[in-house]
Amino acid sequence: MTEKTDRRQFIRLCGRTAAAMAVARAAGHRVIAPAFALENPPRVRLVKADGSPLKAKDLPLHANWIFHYPYHSSPALLIKLDDPAPPTEVEDKDGKAYTWPGGVGPDKNIVAYAAICAHALSYDSKETAFLNYRRERNQMTGHGRVITCCAHASVYDPAAGAKVLAGPAKFPLAAVLLEHRAETDELFAVGLIGSELYGEFFKAYRKELRKAFGRSRYKKMVEGDVVAMPVKEYSEDAIKC
Ligand code: FES
């Protein structure tokens, strides 16, 4: 993927992204469209390891789960918070404000973010998960109910668009847009907004991503059903800090 392609893919709001924003607007929130949103993002259903649909009710409270979106090699964290997460205004890497549309599901408390750190691109792999959500206060920073990147202790608030609370990161994790289908209780990943880092990510880890996900597959977009599972099952070392 060239830099030009990256730019094209992220430059316009597609229907799905606009739909997610419309939900926040309908709830009476001020909505600022993101400067970057994945164009024509895949719409994928989240499923469990056995292939059955992952339902909102199946996701344990304070779940720290992982799935891959929008690319086969790009990890994302799926979290069920204990309180509803309302739409929140945050700023991207260029300091441009945008509205994160909030949690989904019956209790509006299910959220998802790229598990690629906005500081120096540490990410969650099968070998090591640097980014983890934990309910408990972490030892490095004293924050609880946060996503921490244990590489250099950046702390993100999953209830507020992954706003940076501490550490060297300067801007939020990219947000994966989710949809919840009330009739079936299923969850779908439908878009991505915020700060685009995938070009840099592919460049930095090309060799290991090719090895882990396939020579050309690693930068292809996902489609169909995508498996989500607890980080501690996916990764040999889910670092706690
Ligand atoms: S790479 Fe995450 S804090 Fe530095």
Side-chain angles (χ1 to χ4, degrees):
M1 187 169 56
T2 64
E3 212 170 278
K4 208 169 168 188
T5 312
D6 283 353
R7 181 78 186 159
R8 274 204 307 271
Q9 287 188 338
F10 281 84
I11 209 154
R12 277 189 287 136
L13 285 191
C14 78
R16 286 176 200 144
T17 305
M21 295 294 160
V23 172
R25 193 174 287 114
H29 294 276
R30 185 168 91 118
V31 171
I32 304 171
F36 290 95
L38 189 64
E39 188 179 358
N40 297 321
R43 183 176 193 275
V44 299
R45 184 174 69 155
L46 301 186
V47 297
K48 294 186 268 193
D50 64 4
S52 63
L54 173 63
K55 302 196 172 183
K57 69 175 171 38
D58 297 335
L59 206 53
L61 209 54
H62 300 292
N64 181 38
W65 283 38
I66 197 160
F67 64 101
H68 286 84
Y69 188 90
Y71 302 99
H72 284 283
S73 61
S74 55
L77 284 175
L78 179 67
I79 301 163
K80 190 183 215 177
L81 302 164
D82 48 3
D83 288 316
T88 306
E89 201 172 303
V90 286
E91 289 184 357
D92 67 16
K93 65 182 177 182
D94 299 318
K96 291 184 179 147
Y98 63 97
T99 302
W100 171 70
V104 304
D107 299 316
K108 305 279 180 236
N109 61 345
I110 300 174
V111 302
Y113 299 99
I116 300 172
C117 187
H119 171 230
L121 304 176
S122 290
Y123 72 105
D124 287 357
S125 70
K126 284 199 169 190
E127 291 74 34
T128 312
F130 284 99
L131 290 93
N132 286 287
Y133 168 79
R134 288 180 69 201
R135 177 189 191 177
E136 306 79 31
R137 283 179 191 278
N138 67 47
Q139 293 163 3
M140 284 169 102
T141 66
H143 288 279
R145 292 179 163 80
V146 293
I147 298 168
T148 305
C149 174
C150 295
H152 313 100
S154 285
V155 180
Y156 304 93
D157 185 353
K163 194 178 274 191
V164 177
L165 298 178
K170 300 284 184 245
F171 52 89
L173 302 169
V176 177
L177 301 178
L178 297 173
E179 261 179 33
H180 173 250
R181 186 183 285 170
E183 315 84 69
T184 59
D185 203 30
E186 291 170 306
L187 292 164
F188 297 81
V190 301
L192 183 132
I193 59 170
S195 299
E196 195 283 307
L197 297 174
Y198 293 109
E200 288 171 55
F201 175 65
F202 292 151
K203 201 168 158 191
Y205 298 109
R206 183 166 173 263
K207 204 169 161 191
E208 64 190 67
L209 295 176
R210 284 171 74 153
K211 191 172 170 206
F213 297 95
R215 202 176 168 78
S216 58
R217 184 174 171 268
Y218 78 95
K219 54 182 181 181
K220 287 200 170 129
M221 287 199 179
V222 291
E223 55 188 1
D225 289 348
V226 167
V227 173
M229 64 174 69
V231 173
K232 62 182 184 219
E233 283 175 25
Y234 174 75
S235 188
E236 285 166 24
D237 185 12
I239 299 180
K240 288 186 175 177
C241 53

